[in-house]
Amino acid sequence: MPHNTVLTRIDGDLDAALDRLMTLLAIPSISTDKAYKADCDAAADWLVRDLTSIGFEASKRDTPGHPMVVAHGGPAPVEGIPHLLFYGHYDVQPVDPLSLWDTPPFEPRLEDTDKGRVIRARGASDDKGQLMTFIEAMRAWVATPGALPCRITIFLEGEEESGSPSLIPFLQENAEELKADIAMICDTGLFDGKTPAIVTQLRGLLAEEITIKAATRDLHSGFYGGMAANPIHVLSRICADLHDENGGVTLPGFYDDVPELAPELKTQWEALDFDPDHFLTDVGLSVPAGEKDRTSLERMWSRPTAEVNGITGGYTGDGFKTVLPAEASAKISFRLVGQQDPDKIHAAFVDFVNARLPEDVTCVFSNGHGAPASVMSTDDPAFEKARNALTEEWGMEAAFIGAGGSIPVAGHFKTILGMDAMLPTRNTTSRASTRVSEAGHAFSPPSRRPDKRQKNAPPSLLHKYLGGGLGEAKPPPATSVDPSPLQTTPKNRSGTSCRCSNSPRGNCQSSSPRRDQPSCIFLRYWLISNPRTTGFDAMPLNSASSSPRSSGNQ
């Protein structure tokens, strides 16, 4: 398959591709807010039209919430040629507070920074940029060789940012249609801006919210202080007791189902030469926390955690009010690994809290929902083929790595559809540390590859995966496809301007050659994030500094 021709097509079609992305970014598809339901429908409709225009059989599937988009393309399955499923989501996070935005979040625009050109818009790096990366790759395959190289199913969700309430029922009801040999989820980042990798394990997540209650109303501390139980004191002791002096979690049985890191993964991770000092210095810290007897990457990727994410109680307004509060609340999350069971950890947490409640004090438990960790089996030959392809493409040894965040759909693909998910990393900087408060996204257009790479480029990941390891697929007769961007004008919502820092450090410039840009068409467009005021800075695309993502998204 003439993959160099495909890559040349992608470069030549960049302006039109950016126009298409801009159109999709302008649709305010916020899934958590019912006021944007019509916009979520509009985004799904736009994607169906775009996929149909490049020859896919695409349709919008209704759910009790927001619709799914399912599309099928390419030749009928052939023995020895894999059937791939690509997953992405078209919904985005809310944009509040608008005061933190420099520009309206749904009026995407190109912006020149001291490190290169970027697009400012909500969703550019989560996840509209990623899903359009794949669609643009498919567009180039169809327009140039005349056909897709294998059977492709595209599955785009509209509720990922609101807990995916319709996902599991939809997968169960449509399992036969959606099953493939392997799923691809492009929602991860390069380890350090230069090292190619495939994520093979994701931590799970258990979310808890507790409310400690004592008196029937707020009390005056001058009358009741020293006599009445203070819920903030009780809550503080509970939170403090979650960890021992060495950083370990103290819930009984918490580590029962936590495996040790496999020696081969430990060796690959050590070779990444992660610098914890730089990683912490980037956010104004210097001393690692967590389990003292573990390496930094183990703490972030393969070890479980317990974190207090928020505390409320009493009077927190301006001035002073000597109140003894009637209740206090905390949001606490557990990152899970290995075979840890969210239900088992939840039960242990409930017992842990109840054992620390004084008389006259009660606790209300909310949420308690979670998902287990996802561990992909690298025994599947597809993983080693992909790793070898990335190594050849980048000229640097690719690694199997972990990710500290959670992407529950990867586990659902395994348990419901019976297939592993592959998460090849993309050239990106870290997203904001807390996506709920993420102030903005940026999408950095790719640079042109040097002529030398165009003339003698190694195989792309897809070409290597199909042709180099499993044999060439024979395309069906070419069809005439109009690759021009769709003309739609979704409505925009404006916001106020932000006066905070605006200095992302991505350095991908479309006018200057970059030898480190891989030609893999799945990773052809590079995404960077806007640091804003969320406490997690963006990093250069060509930097040696380390910044593993906490992703995934949850």
Side-chain angles (χ1 to χ4, degrees):
M1 193 71 71
H3 71 282
N4 281 342
T5 306
V6 176
L7 296 171
T8 300
R9 167 73 187 197
I10 287 178
D11 282 342
D13 195 40
L14 176 59
D15 290 341
L18 290 177
D19 286 344
R20 287 185 287 267
L21 176 60
M22 292 284 209
T23 300
L24 182 59
L25 290 172
I27 304 176
S29 49
I30 301 173
S31 61
T32 59
D33 190 337
K34 293 181 180 179
Y36 294 87
K37 179 171 176 53
D39 298 299
C40 290
D41 284 343
D45 289 334
W46 189 94
L47 288 164
V48 168
R49 292 196 300 272
D50 193 37
L51 287 165
T52 300
S53 76
I54 58 174
F56 277 83
E57 295 179 5
S59 61
K60 182 175 77 172
R61 310 289 182 84
D62 291 332
T63 74
H66 300 300
M68 308 286 187
V69 173
V70 177
H72 302 284
V78 177
E79 184 176 356
I81 303 297
H83 175 188
L84 305 180
L85 180 143
F86 174 78
Y87 167 85
H89 64 90
Y90 64 82
D91 64 317
V92 300
Q93 286 270 348
V95 295
D96 304 300
L98 284 170
S99 60
L100 295 183
W101 287 80
D102 288 325
T103 59
F106 295 110
E107 294 181 14
R109 64 192 68 192
L110 281 169
E111 179 179 313
D112 290 312
T113 73
D114 58 347
K115 297 297 184 179
R117 298 176 72 207
V118 299
I119 292 176
R120 298 289 184 209
R122 170 58 100 221
S125 70
D126 183 19
D127 183 45
K128 292 177 179 178
Q130 289 97 315
L131 70 86
M132 287 305 294
T133 296
F134 193 88
I135 293 175
E136 294 301 339
M138 298 302 96
R139 193 187 317 276
W141 275 95
V142 170
T144 306
L148 298 172
C150 65
R151 187 66 175 172
I152 300 285
T153 295
I154 295 178
F155 175 42
L156 306 177
E157 186 189 358
E159 298 178 331
E160 195 272 349
E161 301 290 8
S162 54
S164 299
S166 305
L167 178 62
I168 292 178
F170 188 86
L171 290 176
Q172 292 171 337
E173 294 168 7
N174 299 275
E176 289 304 314
E177 178 186 2
L178 295 174
K179 283 180 180 178
D181 293 306
I182 198 163
M184 298 193 71
I185 304 174
C186 294
D187 196 14
T188 54
L190 285 183
F191 169 74
D192 58 3
K194 64 181 182 181
T195 305
I198 296 172
V199 175
T200 61
Q201 55 188 60
L202 298 158
R203 291 195 290 193
L205 179 66
L206 172 64
E208 300 279 4
E209 184 171 356
I210 59 174
T211 301
I212 307 298
K213 297 187 175 184
T216 57
R217 63 182 185 277
D218 288 353
L219 305 175
H220 192 295
S221 64
F223 294 153
Y224 289 94
M227 283 289 290
N230 188 325
I232 294 179
H233 295 174
V234 176
L235 180 62
S236 298
R237 284 194 295 270
I238 291 170
C239 293
D241 284 351
L242 280 172
H243 298 88
D244 61 26
E245 64 276 8
N246 293 315
V249 179
T250 58
L251 288 188
F254 187 71
Y255 292 100
D256 288 351
D257 300 309
V258 177
E260 289 297 323
L261 183 63
E264 59 272 19
L265 284 180
K266 187 177 182 67
T267 299
Q268 289 188 30
W269 292 6
E270 289 173 348
L272 292 171
D273 196 25
F274 174 66
D275 183 356
D277 292 335
H278 180 86
F279 180 70
L280 291 174
T281 300
D282 219 26
V283 293
L285 299 174
S286 59
V287 181
E291 297 176 274
K292 294 180 179 179
D293 60 342
R294 300 289 175 170
T295 67
S296 296
L297 289 183
E298 284 181 279
R299 297 179 200 183
M300 291 188 291
W301 291 348
S302 67
R303 300 295 295 175
T305 64
E307 299 291 349
V308 179
N309 307 120
I311 295 179
T312 57
Y315 179 72
T316 59
D318 293 336
F320 203 86
K321 183 179 180 182
T322 57
V323 65
L324 198 162
E327 61 182 52
S329 300
K331 296 180 185 291
I332 300 170
S333 63
F334 297 89
R335 294 287 177 178
L336 310 179
V337 302
Q339 301 303 312
Q340 283 183 300
D341 182 352
D343 292 336
K344 180 180 176 181
I345 302 301
H346 171 70
F349 179 68
V350 170
D351 292 343
F352 180 90
V353 172
N354 285 334
R356 287 160 175 75
L357 297 178
E359 293 186 19
D360 280 348
V361 176
T362 61
C363 180
V364 176
F365 294 86
S366 305
N367 290 332
H369 63 270
S374 297
V375 180
M376 287 56 122
S377 174
T378 55
D379 293 337
D380 184 334
F383 282 83
E384 193 60 32
K385 290 180 187 295
R387 191 174 79 89
N388 290 337
L390 286 173
T391 296
E392 183 176 351
E393 178 69 21
W394 283 72
M396 178 179 292
E397 187 72 17
F400 292 135
I401 65 173
S406 305
I407 305 180
V409 70
H412 299 327
F413 284 155
K414 182 67 174 179
T415 58
I416 300 174
L417 301 185
M419 62 181 176
D420 276 323
M422 184 182 294
L423 293 87
T425 56
R426 57 186 172 84
N427 197 349
T428 181
T429 56
S430 296
R431 287 214 280 264
S433 57
T434 307
R435 287 172 46 190
V436 171
S437 63
E438 187 177 43
H441 294 100
F443 172 101
S444 180
S447 64
R448 308 298 190 210
R449 295 183 313 283
D451 290 341
K452 183 176 181 180
R453 282 183 61 86
Q454 290 185 10
K455 293 178 181 178
N456 189 28
S460 68
L461 176 57
L462 180 60
H463 182 267
K464 174 74 174 179
Y465 180 72
L466 294 174
L470 297 174
E472 293 283 359
K474 295 182 179 180
T479 56
S480 176
V481 176
D482 179 10
S484 61
L486 298 172
Q487 302 299 318
T488 59
T489 310
K491 64 180 179 180
N492 298 325
R493 287 181 171 84
S494 299
T496 58
S497 297
C498 173
R499 294 179 293 277
C500 56
S501 173
N502 180 15
S503 58
R505 294 178 290 151
N507 62 357
C508 185
Q509 299 178 356
S510 60
S511 59
S512 61
R514 286 271 302 282
R515 284 302 304 273
D516 66 339
Q517 295 285 34
S519 63
C520 169
I521 59 176
F522 285 174
L523 311 176
R524 195 65 193 93
Y525 297 95
W526 315 123
L527 312 177
I528 68 174
S529 295
N530 179 9
R532 304 297 189 193
T533 59
T534 53
F536 213 123
D537 209 337
M539 65 174 284
L541 297 181
N542 193 25
S543 170
S545 59
S546 302
S547 187
R549 252 192 58 189
S550 62
S551 164
N553 298 314
Q554 292 185 16

